[in-house]
């Protein structure tokens, strides 16, 4: 019995008959001898039913197990023996732990087969199960998005199909070769526009206007105009094809796209009013501010870079660590700037004229920058600077590791999800082909079509199908904490803005 002694369950309640009952089970080739008083602790389970087989018919016994030998009284179950080791713990300890290396979703299928509720699962294992369910839901969402991108919605009208095609062309580079080419061209325009914006500020490449003021070279202005034209057409087409216009407009990256093209047209409108308007001081300052806003287009690179997107998501998940970092730095800046001002104020050539002015010195010292424009001149002030330097290094180093760890975990998770989604698509295609080649209703457990059934409840579950055939009207399936561990959700919009 895998090293479990009889004394562990000697105090179990049960009848005299059940105490003498021995149940011999064969789990995937591993023989196990169980005792009735132990199994009857949970009378609603499948194993407890085996203790009553002496008064059951052969049909009832066959419904409880895969095979039965009446000569030896041995019950055979075609199940995973490693998972059964966890199942049997319920009868000895009152709770179940999922051992490392066992898929939590498949283990819940095992618990369902043995008629054991999810409430007997330990809290730590429930958290692990919830994480796996979330990952499967994300994989299923990616699979659904890929399927919609490939096949589209057959019930959509002509205009909707045109919108879906245009959306995939502008927003989904992986959907087709033309979409991939458009993404590359857009990336090149972003780089060219950013380089032109920087090069245009070099005095040697600028020209003088009629009033003797330096302005950008006409050639650079032409290149800038072409880039803005491409950005405008791209933004307009994406807005037209967006499934949810409000969500599209309010998305952060789309706001960046709008801010990248808006200054050009505002300056163009102001210029059309004539030189009199442009000579106003307020208008000139507004035009200069709008030109500076062109730097926002560099953020457009995040649309085509999965690394930048992963970094943004990692920072979002690290708000707590970033808040701790800012709190440490804030307390340190206030403390050491006040100490520095107190220690340096009596020096005749002091550079610490006030506590707020000392904030700058504390910031550059704690961050180990040290410009040298403000520095202490007394011995106590230098000691204070040394302590602030060490505290700054510690304050910055402590939260950095969790932030880096979040980035690595999030990046690896994204890579795993993408690989799993592609693998699931390939498996669905292979199973669909097998279903067409073998139209017979009787199918092998490992070759059954993904479209017409879930995981066999009476066998070891090697895989969990995430989707049913959308052509049959079924929706997305993801595991849940209920008895069947399957839930259905309707197919949502064909993309996420």
């Amino acid at each position: 019995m895998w090293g479990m002694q009889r004394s562990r369950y000697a105090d179990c309640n049960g009848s005299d008959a059940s105490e003498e009952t021995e149940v011999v089970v064969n789990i995937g080739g591993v023989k196990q001898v169980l005792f009735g008083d132990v199994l009857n602790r949970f009378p609603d389970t499948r194993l407890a039913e085996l203790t009553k087989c002496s008064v059951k018919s052969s049909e009832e016994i066959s419904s409880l197990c895969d095979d039965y030998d009446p000569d030896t009284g041995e019950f055979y179950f075609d199940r995973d023996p490693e998972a059964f080791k966890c199942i049997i713990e319920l009868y000895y300890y009152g709770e179940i732990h999922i051992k490392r290396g066992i898929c939590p979703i498949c283990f819940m299928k095992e618990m369902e087969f043995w008629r054991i509720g999810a409430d007997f699962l330990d809290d730590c294992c429930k958290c692990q199960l919830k994480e796996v369910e979330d990952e499967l839901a994300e994989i299923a969402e990616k699979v659904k998005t890929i399927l919609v991108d490939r096949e589209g919605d057959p019930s959509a009208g002509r205009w909707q199909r045109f919108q879906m095609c245009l959306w995939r062309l502008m927003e989904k580079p992986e959907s087709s070769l033309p979409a991939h080419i458009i993404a590359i061209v857009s990336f090149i325009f972003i780089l060219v526009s950013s380089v032109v914006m920087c090069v245009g500020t070099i005095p040697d490449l600028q020209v003088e206007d009629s009033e003797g003021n330096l302005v950008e070279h006409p050639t650079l202005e032409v290149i800038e105009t072409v880039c803005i034209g491409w950005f405008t057409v791209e933004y307009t087409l994406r807005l037209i094809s967006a499934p949810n216009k409000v969500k599209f407009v309010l998305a952060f990256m789309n706001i960046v796209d709008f801010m990248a093209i808006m200054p050009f047209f505002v300056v163009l409108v102001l210029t059309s009013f004539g030189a009199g308007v442009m000579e106003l001081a307020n208008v000139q300052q507004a035009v200069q501010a709008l030109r500076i806003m062109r730097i926002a287009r560099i953020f457009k690179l995040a649309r085509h870079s999965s690394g930048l997107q992963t970094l943004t998501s990692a920072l979002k998940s690290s708000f707590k660590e970033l808040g701790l970092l800012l709190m440490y730095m804030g307390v340190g800046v206030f403390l050491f700037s006040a100490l520095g001002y107190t220690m340096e104020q009596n020096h005749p050539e002091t550079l610490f004229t006030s506590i707020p002015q000392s904030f700058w010195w504390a910031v550059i010292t704690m961050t180990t920058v040290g410009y040298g424009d403000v520095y202490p001149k007394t011995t106590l002030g230098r000691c204070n600077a040394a302590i602030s330097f060490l505290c700054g290094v510690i304050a910055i180093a402590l939260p950095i590791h969790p932030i880096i760890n979040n980035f690595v975990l999030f990046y690896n998770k994204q890579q795993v999800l993408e690989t799993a989604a592609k693998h699931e698509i390939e498996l669905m295609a292979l199973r669909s082909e097998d279903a067409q080649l073998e139209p017979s209703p009787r199918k092998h457990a490992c070759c059954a079509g993904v479209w017409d059934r879930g995981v066999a409840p009476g066998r070891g579950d090697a895989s969990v199908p995430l989707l049913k055939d959308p052509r049959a009207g079924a929706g997305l399936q993801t595991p849940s904490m209920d008895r069947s561990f399957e839930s259905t959700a309707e197919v949502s919009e064909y993309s996420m803005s």
Side-chain angles (χ1 to χ4, degrees):
M1 285 177 50
W2 293 300
M4 297 181 182
Q5 302 297 326
R6 177 77 171 125
S7 59
R8 306 288 295 222
Y9 49 85
D11 58 344
C12 299
N13 296 326
S15 63
D16 295 337
S18 64
E19 290 179 359
E20 301 298 331
T21 302
E22 289 188 359
V23 179
V24 181
V25 296
N26 190 314
I27 311 297
V30 179
K31 186 178 293 187
Q32 170 78 30
V33 179
L34 305 175
F35 295 90
D37 59 340
V38 178
L39 301 181
N40 285 326
R41 294 183 63 185
F42 301 93
D44 296 332
T45 60
R46 185 183 293 266
L47 288 175
E49 291 290 330
L50 300 180
T51 62
K52 308 173 185 177
C53 287
S54 59
V55 295
K56 292 181 180 293
S57 62
S58 58
E59 291 79 8
E60 294 175 332
I61 295 177
S62 299
S63 64
L64 293 175
C65 60
D66 295 318
D67 198 4
Y68 176 68
D69 187 355
D71 297 332
T72 61
E74 182 176 339
F75 299 90
Y76 178 76
F77 294 90
D78 187 13
R79 310 301 298 186
D80 183 9
E82 294 298 324
F84 186 75
K85 293 180 182 179
C86 304
I87 295 294
I88 202 63
E89 288 183 358
L90 172 68
Y91 300 91
Y92 293 98
Y93 311 120
E95 60 182 7
I96 296 178
H97 292 269
I98 303 177
K99 294 184 178 180
R100 183 174 300 177
I102 300 178
C103 174
I105 301 299
C106 296
F107 186 79
M108 298 310 296
K109 294 290 184 179
E110 291 286 328
M111 293 182 62
E112 180 182 357
F113 173 79
W114 296 109
R115 302 176 185 174
I116 299 175
D119 295 337
F120 294 104
L121 198 62
D122 191 66
D123 292 339
C124 63
C125 298
K126 288 181 180 179
C127 296
Q128 181 183 1
L129 176 64
K130 183 63 170 60
E131 293 177 358
V132 175
E133 290 176 351
D134 294 340
E135 291 181 0
L136 288 178
E138 294 181 17
I139 295 174
E141 183 67 25
K142 289 182 178 293
V143 171
K144 181 186 66 177
T145 303
I146 294 175
L147 290 178
V148 173
D149 289 341
R150 288 184 177 181
E151 302 178 1
D153 187 2
S155 62
R158 180 178 300 178
W159 171 249
Q160 291 179 338
R161 289 197 298 269
F162 172 76
Q163 280 187 309
M164 293 169 62
C165 181
L166 184 60
W167 178 260
R168 291 196 297 268
L169 187 66
M170 303 302 300
E171 194 72 13
K172 305 289 184 179
E174 69 280 358
S175 62
S176 63
L177 179 60
H180 187 66
I181 294 175
I182 290 178
I184 294 176
V185 173
S186 178
F187 184 80
I188 293 175
F189 270 106
I190 294 173
L191 292 180
V192 171
S193 176
S194 302
V195 171
V196 168
M197 181 187 66
C198 298
V199 172
T201 60
I202 300 177
D204 296 339
L205 298 180
Q206 294 178 339
V207 296
E208 295 184 356
D209 57 6
S210 58
E211 299 178 356
N213 298 324
L214 292 177
V215 295
E216 290 185 359
H217 196 279
T219 304
L220 298 180
E221 291 185 353
V222 172
I223 298 176
E224 175 74 9
T225 303
V226 173
C227 294
I228 291 296
W230 169 266
F231 297 149
T232 304
V233 172
E234 181 187 31
Y235 182 84
T236 304
L237 292 178
R238 292 174 56 242
L239 178 61
I240 293 174
S241 61
N244 190 330
K245 302 296 189 296
V246 177
K247 185 178 179 180
F248 176 86
V249 172
L250 297 180
F252 173 75
M253 291 307 304
N254 297 325
I255 294 176
V256 170
D257 293 342
F258 179 77
M259 297 298 293
I261 62 178
M262 183 267 295
F264 176 83
F265 292 100
V266 174
V267 173
L268 189 64
V269 171
L270 293 177
T271 306
S272 64
F273 288 146
V277 176
M278 294 298 295
E279 290 177 357
L280 297 177
N282 294 335
V283 175
Q284 291 179 355
Q285 294 177 357
V287 170
Q288 186 66 21
L290 291 174
R291 288 184 179 274
I292 295 175
M293 288 175 58
R294 294 183 301 174
I295 62 177
R297 69 188 59 172
I298 196 65
F299 292 104
K300 290 169 64 67
L301 292 175
R303 184 181 302 281
H304 307 284
S305 175
S306 59
L308 291 177
Q309 295 175 5
T310 303
L311 177 60
T312 303
S313 302
L315 291 177
K316 287 182 180 179
S317 62
S318 305
F319 277 153
K320 181 178 180 180
E321 290 78 6
L322 292 175
L324 290 176
L325 175 60
L326 294 178
M327 184 186 70
Y328 293 156
M329 294 299 298
V331 172
V333 166
F334 182 82
L335 174 63
F336 292 112
S337 61
L339 292 176
Y341 170 75
T342 303
M343 297 174 182
E344 294 289 324
Q345 63 178 344
N346 295 327
H347 195 278
E349 299 179 358
T350 181
L351 299 176
F352 295 77
T353 58
S354 65
I355 292 181
Q357 187 271 341
S358 302
F359 287 168
W360 168 248
W361 167 82
V363 169
I364 62 176
T365 301
M366 294 188 67
T367 55
T368 70
V369 177
Y371 288 116
D373 53 345
V374 181
Y375 56 91
K377 296 182 178 181
T378 64
T379 302
L380 291 178
R382 291 170 181 173
C383 294
N384 177 61
I387 296 175
S388 66
F389 166 77
L390 295 176
C391 292
V393 171
I394 296 174
I396 294 176
L398 288 178
I400 288 299
H401 179 72
I403 296 175
I404 296 177
N405 190 43
N406 288 339
F407 174 81
V408 173
L409 292 177
F410 194 89
Y411 182 79
N412 292 336
K413 181 180 178 181
Q414 291 299 316
Q415 297 297 319
V416 170
L417 291 179
E418 291 177 2
T419 304
K422 294 179 181 178
H423 181 63
E424 184 69 20
I425 292 293
E426 295 175 356
L427 288 178
M428 291 168 62
L430 292 175
R431 289 167 178 167
S432 180
E433 292 177 359
D434 291 343
Q436 295 176 359
L437 294 176
E438 299 180 7
S440 174
R442 184 176 182 179
K443 302 176 183 178
H444 195 273
C446 64
C447 300
V450 71
W451 304 123
D452 52 7
R453 72 163 184 85
V455 177
R459 296 292 182 268
D461 304 316
S463 62
V464 181
L466 301 178
L467 292 174
K468 287 187 178 180
D469 190 0
R471 294 166 291 188
L476 176 66
Q477 283 196 345
T478 55
S480 61
M481 287 291 291
D482 57 6
R483 180 174 177 82
S484 63
F485 296 93
E486 294 179 354
S487 61
T488 303
E490 297 181 355
V491 177
S492 61
E493 296 173 318
Y494 55 84
S495 63
M496 295 179 291
S497 298

